[in-house]
Amino acid sequence: MKGVAVLAKEKTKFVCQNCGYVTSKWLGRCPECESWNSFQEERESPPARSKEGTMLQEPLALVQVTLRQEGRTPVGIDELDRVLGGGLVAGSLVLVGGDPGIGKSTLMLQTTLLLGQGKTPVLYWSGEESVQQIKMRANRLGDIPPSVWIQSETCLDRLPELLQKLKPSCLIVDSIQTVYRSDLTSAPGTVSQVRDITAQLMRIAKQTGLVVFIVGHVTKEGTIAGPKMLEHMVDTVLYFEGDRNHNFRIIRAVKNRFGSTNEIGVFEMAEGGLVEVRNPSAMFLAERPLQDPGSAVTALLEGSRPILAEVQALVSNTNYQNPRRLANGFDHNRMAMLIAILEKRLGYQMGMLDAYINVAGGLRISEPSADLAVVLALASSYRERAVDAQTVAIGEVGLTGELRNVPRLEQRLREAARLGFQRAIVPAGGKLPQVPELQLCVVHNIQEAIAQALKGG
């Protein structure tokens, strides 16, 4: 019939909220990332078309490209500047992730107050707290500069207009999971919203030179909620680690296009906000038992910074049919491997004993240079003999019980000497550094290392 409008049927799609995989029907398990119950229904909106034609930039020969010196603006928090690679780079997009309540908003507000001491405005855009809540927290952190502006809003539609009016040097969005665009039909925090909002913020940052911080929550697995492509889009990814029941917090760079990765900054949560820890090694060793068995000290390398850490072990009789193996701050599989080496190479009867490993201070060890300290701590608890309190142990342990050298050994040893250690157990392979303050005990395998470390061993 003439004059009767035919309504087009609305199309829907199902999107995996973990990896962004799209399908036309609901699936219980994602075929891409294999996560369960992660699909959410979204209305499919047609892509927006620009009325103006797109101007393509002509290709250039690589030799014709002129380099620009990237200036850095220090935040004023030395530990954060270290993780960022020396400060903020104009036009950079920084993603800060961490568990709820870990201190992300506190750190970002402290950063806002410090950057606001300049003449250029700084905008703190919050989708989680009201302006009154932000003001109450800011009063506890210190003086509030007049250049700090705040906005409590979840819709991003007016943000470009606000940025054009204020012309800030830095923008903090807290958090990306609460912000949405009205032209997208999906709910806030979904893959479509997070991806498109991040892309819009990235375009704004690159076109205007604005520094943008994005705060994001993490999942139960410890990764930032949302599609994995979110981490690929930004320039820098920082993870905020720590336990809400402890005062210490560690911020770690896992990606940085303007600096080195795996740098860490150490903070202590106090009444006035996050306080920098200038000497992390002394902090992690402050409450170390000196005469008790089951404790050993190693030297780690976090980025460019050496840090001493205490590894604790407890070996005891089991009350269960199967002995327990638990590790806190250390890889569980690597712990099981080191126990197997002790059983096979040294004859330690640990098959029916519980074994626990703990890295003091909430630190997480990922490099194999701590293998020797774990072995010494286990052997110390097993034999009820304390490791020499003035000894630091560094080395990777192989499956035959041999010790392998680790990179940048001299830098690790100098940090140990600075904190008053007198002896270091190190692998025999490689060139030995000259550290006059330390007596180097060169060993070839774990049997020699245990004999050197344990009193009366």
Side-chain angles (χ1 to χ4, degrees):
M1 296 176 58
K2 295 183 179 180
V4 178
V6 179
L7 297 178
K9 184 178 180 180
E10 187 180 58
K11 295 183 178 181
T12 60
K13 59 183 178 180
F14 293 88
V15 183
C16 175
Q17 301 305 304
N18 187 38
C19 67
Y21 183 82
V22 180
T23 180
S24 59
K25 61 180 181 179
W26 186 86
L27 300 175
R29 186 179 186 182
C30 177
E32 184 72 22
C33 64
E34 299 184 350
S35 59
W36 288 91
N37 299 324
S38 61
F39 280 94
Q40 183 172 333
E41 184 178 9
E42 297 181 9
R43 285 184 292 176
E44 189 173 1
S45 56
R49 296 182 179 179
S50 176
K51 295 181 180 180
E52 300 179 0
T54 303
M55 298 296 293
L56 296 178
Q57 186 177 2
E58 293 294 330
L60 295 175
L62 185 58
V63 295
Q64 298 177 347
V65 178
T66 57
L67 292 179
R68 229 177 14 176
Q69 186 66 28
E70 295 288 353
R72 293 183 181 270
T73 303
V75 175
I77 305 175
D78 293 340
E79 293 295 304
L80 181 58
D81 286 332
R82 170 191 290 271
V83 176
L84 290 171
L88 299 175
V89 177
S92 60
L93 189 62
V94 182
L95 176 62
V96 181
D99 294 325
I102 201 69
K104 303 184 301 298
S105 298
T106 300
L107 178 63
M108 289 295 95
L109 189 54
Q110 285 183 248
T111 302
T112 304
L113 297 178
L114 289 173
L115 293 175
Q117 294 178 358
K119 297 181 181 180
T120 309
V122 179
L123 177 59
Y124 187 92
W125 179 285
S126 176
E128 297 183 343
E129 297 177 297
S130 65
V131 293
Q132 289 79 13
Q133 290 175 309
I134 300 173
K135 179 63 180 297
M136 290 173 58
R137 189 150 45 87
N139 287 334
R140 296 195 301 267
L141 299 178
D143 298 332
I144 302 177
S147 297
V148 174
W149 294 76
I150 60 175
Q151 174 83 23
S152 180
E153 181 61 68
T154 56
C155 184
L156 203 72
D157 295 348
R158 290 190 60 248
L159 181 60
E161 178 185 347
L162 184 60
L163 295 177
Q164 183 66 25
K165 179 181 178 181
L166 286 179
K167 290 183 170 46
S169 60
C170 181
L171 167 68
I172 290 92
V173 179
D174 184 12
S175 67
I176 190 67
Q177 280 84 13
T178 62
V179 183
Y180 71 95
R181 286 174 48 182
S182 61
D183 56 340
L184 298 178
T185 57
S186 54
T190 57
V191 169
S192 301
Q193 290 281 2
V194 171
R195 180 184 60 237
D196 290 357
I197 290 173
T198 304
Q200 182 177 353
L201 293 175
M202 182 179 62
R203 287 193 299 269
I204 293 175
K206 302 305 179 184
Q207 293 174 1
T208 63
L210 175 68
V211 178
V212 180
F213 281 93
I214 299 176
V215 178
H217 298 304
V218 298
T219 62
K220 295 179 180 179
E221 291 77 19
T223 59
I224 295 179
K228 194 65 178 177
M229 69 182 69
L230 181 63
E231 298 187 22
H232 299 303
M233 296 170 66
V234 301
D235 297 313
T236 305
V237 179
L238 308 179
Y239 273 93
F240 219 16
E241 304 172 356
D243 190 346
R244 285 180 291 179
N245 298 321
H246 294 81
N247 291 333
F248 299 117
R249 304 286 189 268
I250 296 174
I251 187 167
R252 184 187 305 272
V254 298
K255 174 187 176 181
N256 192 352
R257 289 174 179 163
F258 308 110
S260 62
T261 57
N262 289 325
E263 288 283 359
I264 69 168
V266 185
F267 297 89
E268 182 179 4
M269 181 63 77
E271 294 182 0
L274 291 167
V275 181
E276 300 175 74
V277 177
R278 305 286 184 179
N279 193 350
S281 298
M283 178 199 72
F284 291 128
L285 301 180
E287 303 177 22
R288 177 172 64 103
L290 300 180
Q291 303 297 330
D292 296 334
S295 174
V297 177
T298 187
L300 308 173
L301 204 61
E302 296 287 354
S304 60
R305 168 190 282 182
I307 293 180
L308 298 190
E310 179 195 0
V311 178
Q312 298 176 338
L314 177 63
V315 179
S316 63
N317 294 324
T318 183
N319 294 322
Y320 306 94
Q321 184 176 2
N322 295 321
R324 306 191 68 184
R325 302 281 189 263
L326 295 179
N328 182 27
F330 191 78
D331 183 66
H332 180 272
N333 294 327
R334 197 161 189 87
M335 169 192 171
M337 182 193 74
L338 295 176
I339 292 176
I341 294 173
L342 285 172
E343 292 178 337
K344 179 70 175 179
R345 305 303 174 190
L346 299 184
Y348 283 26
Q349 302 298 321
M350 301 180 66
M352 295 306 297
L353 297 176
D354 288 338
Y356 304 90
I357 292 294
N358 177 56
V359 182
L363 194 64
R364 297 179 183 176
I365 297 179
S366 58
E367 60 170 329
S369 63
D371 288 353
L372 181 56
V374 174
V375 167
L376 294 182
L378 288 168
S380 171
S381 180
Y382 179 84
R383 298 175 57 173
E384 288 293 331
R385 297 180 183 272
V387 176
D388 181 17
Q390 300 300 321
T391 299
V392 61
I394 308 170
E396 178 183 355
V397 177
L399 290 179
T400 62
E402 85 281 6
L403 290 182
R404 298 177 177 271
N405 202 8
V406 298
R408 298 166 69 177
L409 181 60
E410 182 177 357
Q411 191 174 357
R412 303 171 193 256
L413 294 177
R414 293 195 179 278
E415 177 69 8
R418 186 181 69 84
L419 290 180
F421 285 84
Q422 300 175 2
R423 197 167 65 132
I425 301 177
V426 297
K431 182 180 179 181
L432 294 178
Q434 298 297 324
V435 183
E437 300 87 352
L438 283 177
Q439 174 192 354
L440 297 185
C441 298
V442 182
V443 294
H444 297 82
N445 51 52
I446 59 174
Q447 184 175 6
E448 297 178 7
I450 293 174
Q452 290 284 345
L454 301 187
K455 296 179 180 179

